């Protein structure tokens, strides 16, 4: 019994029935420690944070602000004020698009994205580009999923105002050379927005080392509750930006016709905040740091290798992205000859195996790799070798179920 | 019927060896039906004479359930009057959504009734109804489906 098996004891859902959960890139499972932390917040210190002058509200505020400090430390931000709590990566990226993009991109400017972006890091930029008459430029990867130096150096130019890039592709699992791209982008005067939804659960992130001006991620992919995410923004940039949403508790002073806004980060957190889930996110960070990224990476590599080795023995299966299991972040996207991915997923579901099928909210990438839709198995450290073997066994029978020979 | 049995006994035959897949010359009505969540994408073509559907073909790609369902539908609607086909679409969609359960109505769908168990697979409902929705749309709103290449 390895460490993964020990950690599984913390996840009630993984111990109910015989389900194999291989859709961690969509959302992870949550350990009891996270669920308990949220529950404890509501049981012991629930009040509207940042407003009340009584003990409970002070306690709620303190827990909420401690969660912010925890997030800042987790991703290597300089100061806690650079962390804005949002619902998720999508909201974080929309905040940047509206409050920074709309104001700083003009006609004729260029916004550079990669063709492998999740729609959440594409559609906000499409909107900015359309509205401000800017041009959207796409970085394209090679067969192995790698964006080369030549590629980004030829497409990031003096006209580039924003480079928006996913840290890890949710389809290929490949880690993009964000640090190198950011360095080059900065030399051209552009700012860099990083979608960290798929990286934060799997690797140590340091936003300053990466050179990210903005970095967005979701809690729910890293064992925190759904509905809490964060945006890191460089202090000087956030300070100059206008609010995204306006309303309660983001103001200094309001008259009938005008208002001055609160300091960051509260300027960007209008309305009652999601303190309960922020506390859950802090607990998830504690849990991850206790497990340690060394173990997470080691376990994911081991499982991904076992999975890809098994898939390579099935000649009717095509795997997308790198041939190196270490470059997949636990994400393995594949197709089965003659069988539509939705049928693959439905047949596997019949065997209690959960995998995603479809376009994975990355339709331009699907068009680029020439697949209308694919199936995706995505692993996390609490998955086991036994699960991978059982998955491979079930998958090897899918074509037979679908009427291809015996 | 469990899923694997449904595939083996009904769906696979129509998916792998469809009777009505292909392109029709000079159809009277043509409409594309798309199911964005799965990527099912069909183009349904109908020939209609004196309010009777005399031929039906479809082209495109998608999951086995969507393709088998439209193939079975084509079987059922050829020779039917337009309003009969529309009524069948209502019955089929109702059946798949679990809203129509009386046996008599469902039996009228003939072989297509075999997909009744998709009602227990919410994720696949859209796949099963794609062809029927498209057919209903083109008969009820023929102005959206007029064959542009026809004189």
């Amino acid at each position: 019994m390895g460490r993964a098996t020990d950690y599984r004891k913390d996840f009630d859902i993984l111990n109910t029935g015989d389900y194999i959960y291989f859709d961690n890139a969509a959302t992870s499972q949550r350990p009891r420690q996270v669920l308990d932390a949220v529950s404890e917040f509501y049981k012991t210190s629930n009040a509207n944070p940042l407003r009340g002058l009584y003990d409970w509200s002070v306690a709620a505020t303190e827990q909420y602000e401690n969660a912010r400090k925890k997030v800042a430390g987790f991703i290597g931000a300089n100061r806690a004020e650079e962390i804005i709590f949002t619902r998720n990566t999508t909201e974080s990226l929309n905040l940047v698009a509206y409050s920074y993009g709309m104001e700083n991109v003009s006609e004729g400017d260029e916004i550079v994205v990669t063709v492998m972006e999740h729609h959440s890091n594409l559609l906000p930029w499409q909107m900015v580009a359309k509205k401000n008459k800017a041009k959207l430029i796409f970085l394209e990867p090679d067969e192995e999923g790698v964006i080369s130096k030549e590629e980004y150096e030829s497409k990031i130019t003096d006209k580039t105002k924003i480079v928006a890039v996913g840290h890890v592709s949710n389809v290929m699992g490949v880690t993009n050379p964000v640090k190198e791209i950011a360095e080059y982008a900065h030399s051209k005067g552009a700012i860099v927005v990083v979608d960290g939804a798929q990286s934060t659960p799997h690797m140590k992130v340091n936003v300053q080392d990466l050179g990210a001006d903005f970095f967005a991620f979701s809690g729910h992919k890293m064992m925190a509750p759904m509905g809490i995410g964060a945006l890191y923004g460089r202090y000087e940039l956030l300070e100059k930006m206008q609010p995204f949403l306006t309303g309660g508790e983001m103001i200094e002073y309001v008259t009938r016709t005008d208002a001055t806004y609160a300091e960051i980060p509260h300027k960007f957190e209008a309305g009652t905040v999601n303190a309960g889930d922020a506390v859950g996110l802090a607990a998830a960070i504690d849990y991850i740091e206790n497990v340690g990224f060394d173990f997470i990476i080691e376990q994911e590599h081991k499982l991904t290798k076992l999975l890809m080795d098994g898939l390579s023995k099935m000649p009717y299966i095509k795997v997308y992205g790198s041939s190196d299991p270490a470059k997949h972040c636990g994400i393995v996207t594949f197709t089965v000859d003659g069988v539509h991915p939705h049928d693959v997923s439905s047949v596997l579901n019949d065997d209690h195996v959960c995998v995603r099928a479809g376009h994975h909210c990355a339709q331009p990438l699907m068009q680029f790799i020439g697949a209308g839709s694919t199936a995706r198995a995505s692993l996390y450290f609490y998955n086991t070798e036994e699960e991978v073997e059982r998955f491979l066994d079930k998958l090897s029978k899918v074509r037979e179920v679908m009427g291809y020979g015996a | 019927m469990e899923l694997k049995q449904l595939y083996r006994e009904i769906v696979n035959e129509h998916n792998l060896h469809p009777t009505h897949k292909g392109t029709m010359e000079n159809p009277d009505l043509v409409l594309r039906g798309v199911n964005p969540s799965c990527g099912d994408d069909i183009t349904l073509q109908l020939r209609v004479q004196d309010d009777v559907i005399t031929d039906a073909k479809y082209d495109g790609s998608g999951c086995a359930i969507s393709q088998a369902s439209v193939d079975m539908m084509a079987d059922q609607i050829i020779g039917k009057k337009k309003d009969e086909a529309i009524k069948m679409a209502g019955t089929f969609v109702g059946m798949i959504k679990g809203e129509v359960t009386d046996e008599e109505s469902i039996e009228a769908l003939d072989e297509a009734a075999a997909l009744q168990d998709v009602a227990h697979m919410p994720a696949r409902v859209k796949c099963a109804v794609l062809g029927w929705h498209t057919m209903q749309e083109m008969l009820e709103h023929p102005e959206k489906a007029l064959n542009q290449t026809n004189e």
Side-chain angles (χ1 to χ4, degrees):
Chain A
M1 292 291 115
R3 278 175 67 186
T5 321
D6 293 341
Y7 293 125
R8 284 178 81 83
K9 295 192 183 98
D10 296 330
F11 296 80
D12 290 324
I13 196 169
L14 298 178
N15 298 302
T16 42
D18 58 349
Y19 280 89
I20 296 179
Y21 186 73
F22 278 3
D23 196 16
N24 293 287
T27 194
S28 69
Q29 298 300 341
R30 293 117 188 85
R32 214 170 300 133
Q33 289 86 332
V34 168
L35 304 177
D36 287 350
V38 175
S39 164
E40 197 61 20
F41 172 84
Y42 287 113
K43 283 182 194 163
T44 64
S45 35
N46 176 54
N48 206 322
L50 309 164
R51 289 158 174 76
L53 302 173
Y54 47 87
D55 290 349
W56 287 357
S57 178
V58 171
T61 307
E62 192 175 297
Q63 290 201 42
Y64 182 61
E65 293 304 329
N66 281 344
R68 193 190 308 279
K69 284 178 200 150
K70 177 87 65 183
V71 170
F74 181 63
I75 60 169
N78 233 335
R79 44 204 291 190
E81 298 93 313
E82 294 180 317
I83 304 299
I84 297 157
F85 281 120
T86 61
R87 282 189 302 138
N88 45 37
T89 307
T90 298
E91 186 178 304
S92 296
L93 293 167
N94 273 276
L95 192 162
V96 181
Y98 276 97
S99 290
Y100 185 90
M102 285 296 200
E103 301 298 319
N104 292 285
V105 174
S106 324
E107 188 167 350
D109 288 346
E110 294 181 353
I111 300 172
V112 174
V113 299
T114 82
V115 75
M116 60 178 104
E117 292 314 307
H118 188 283
H119 295 162
S120 62
N121 199 26
L122 172 61
L123 271 61
W125 306 117
Q126 280 184 351
M127 176 199 69
V128 173
K130 270 187 200 152
K131 195 118 187 172
N132 292 5
K133 300 191 174 72
K135 205 169 156 194
L136 210 51
I137 308 282
F138 288 86
L139 301 178
E140 294 177 357
D142 63 19
E143 273 282 291
E144 289 274 297
V146 178
I147 293 172
S148 68
K149 190 167 188 249
E150 296 71 48
E151 177 70 6
Y152 66 76
E153 288 195 352
S154 68
K155 290 185 176 167
I156 298 172
T157 68
D158 294 330
K159 287 185 186 167
T160 310
K161 284 291 179 304
I162 293 173
V163 178
V165 53
H167 196 179
V168 169
S169 158
N170 71 314
V171 177
M172 315 245 249
V174 64
T175 304
N176 285 317
V178 171
K179 189 176 173 168
E180 292 76 10
I181 291 175
E183 217 169 276
Y184 192 73
H186 288 150
S187 79
K188 295 288 173 190
I191 64 115
V192 177
V193 183
V194 182
D195 169 359
Q198 297 293 349
S199 61
T200 40
H202 303 280
M203 63 179 70
K204 184 71 195 154
V205 167
N206 185 304
V207 289
Q208 298 186 70
D209 182 57
L210 275 179
D213 296 292
F214 294 98
F215 184 94
F217 71 97
S218 296
H220 73 92
K221 292 189 202 289
M222 47 172 283
M223 300 183 285
M226 291 181 179
I228 188 77
L231 172 70
Y232 157 84
R234 210 148 48 74
Y235 192 89
E236 308 77 60
L237 293 173
L238 289 178
E239 250 200 330
K240 281 185 224 144
M241 283 157 56
Q242 290 297 302
F244 173 40
L245 302 173
T246 54
E249 209 54 41
M250 49 76 70
I251 52 94
E252 254 170 7
Y253 191 71
V254 180
T255 65
R256 287 191 184 201
T257 54
D258 210 356
T260 55
Y261 302 123
E263 295 285 300
I264 62 168
H266 301 114
K267 180 166 78 177
F268 295 104
E269 293 180 354
T272 294
V273 297
N274 187 359
D277 290 334
V279 167
L281 176 57
I285 291 173
D286 283 339
Y287 193 91
I288 284 192
E289 288 181 338
N290 181 48
V291 174
F293 281 111
D294 288 347
F295 176 73
I296 292 175
I297 289 168
E298 180 195 317
Q299 177 73 359
E300 286 174 4
H301 283 186
K302 190 168 73 182
L303 297 179
T304 309
K305 184 167 183 337
L306 189 65
L307 178 57
M308 287 176 68
D309 284 351
L311 292 176
S312 71
K313 289 181 191 123
M314 302 179 206
Y316 45 84
I317 285 191
K318 177 174 167 58
V319 172
Y320 294 87
S322 174
S323 49
D324 179 357
K327 292 182 178 163
H328 276 263
C329 247
I331 293 171
V332 180
T333 291
F334 61 93
T335 47
V336 180
D337 271 359
V339 185
H340 190 279
H342 275 86
D343 297 313
V344 174
S345 179
S346 278
V347 174
L348 288 175
N349 177 58
D350 222 37
D351 293 320
H352 290 183
V353 176
C354 314
V355 298
R356 177 81 187 269
H359 49 64
H360 316 294
C361 299
Q363 287 185 0
L365 177 61
M366 292 290 127
Q367 292 147 16
F368 181 73
I369 63 180
S373 137
T374 57
R376 178 185 70 185
S378 55
L379 313 167
Y380 208 14
F381 67 92
Y382 45 59
N383 290 123
T384 64
E385 287 166 282
E386 185 271 330
E387 285 183 311
V388 172
E389 273 155 15
R390 199 144 52 91
F391 165 79
L392 288 167
D393 176 54
K394 300 301 181 191
L395 183 63
S396 71
K397 296 180 174 133
V398 166
R399 270 177 58 92
E400 186 271 315
V401 173
M402 294 304 297
Y404 292 95
Chain B
M1 198 184 293
E2 64 139 341
L3 177 85
K4 284 177 188 161
Q5 197 188 351
L6 182 68
Y7 275 123
R8 288 194 175 110
E9 293 179 9
I10 313 286
V11 171
N12 290 347
E13 180 58 26
H14 284 278
N15 180 44
L16 299 175
H17 310 289
T19 316
H20 303 283
K21 189 162 182 169
T23 317
M24 189 189 293
E25 270 183 43
N26 293 321
D28 297 304
L29 298 171
V30 180
L31 192 65
R32 189 174 169 196
V34 180
N35 187 353
S37 71
C38 312
D40 299 330
D41 188 343
I42 58 162
T43 301
L44 188 60
Q45 311 141 65
L46 299 180
R47 198 183 314 282
V48 184
Q49 280 159 4
D50 303 330
D51 270 2
V52 174
I53 299 165
T54 57
D55 198 10
K57 274 193 181 302
Y58 69 97
D59 218 342
S61 62
C63 68
I65 291 178
S66 72
Q67 303 298 296
S69 179
V70 66
D71 198 53
M72 281 190 255
M73 178 192 81
D75 263 350
Q76 298 306 321
I77 61 171
I78 293 172
K80 294 275 191 316
K81 284 190 165 169
K82 277 185 353 188
D83 50 357
E84 279 178 282
I86 291 171
K87 190 172 166 225
M88 285 174 81
T91 306
F92 184 87
V93 173
M95 172 187 83
I96 296 290
K97 289 186 171 167
E99 290 158 1
V100 174
T101 51
D102 72 289
E103 281 183 26
E104 207 179 316
S105 312
I106 290 175
E107 268 171 25
L109 294 172
D110 207 343
E111 198 192 8
L115 289 175
Q116 185 174 10
D117 288 303
V118 173
H120 309 304
M121 305 166 197
R124 306 310 298 274
V125 164
K126 282 184 183 164
C127 316
V129 302
L130 177 64
W132 291 90
H133 263 318
T134 309
M135 181 266 287
Q136 190 176 1
E137 182 76 4
M138 56 208 288
L139 292 181
E140 286 179 350
H141 303 282
E143 71 281 0
K144 292 182 185 170
L146 290 176
N147 184 6
Q148 302 296 334
T149 58
N150 258 7
E151 289 303 303

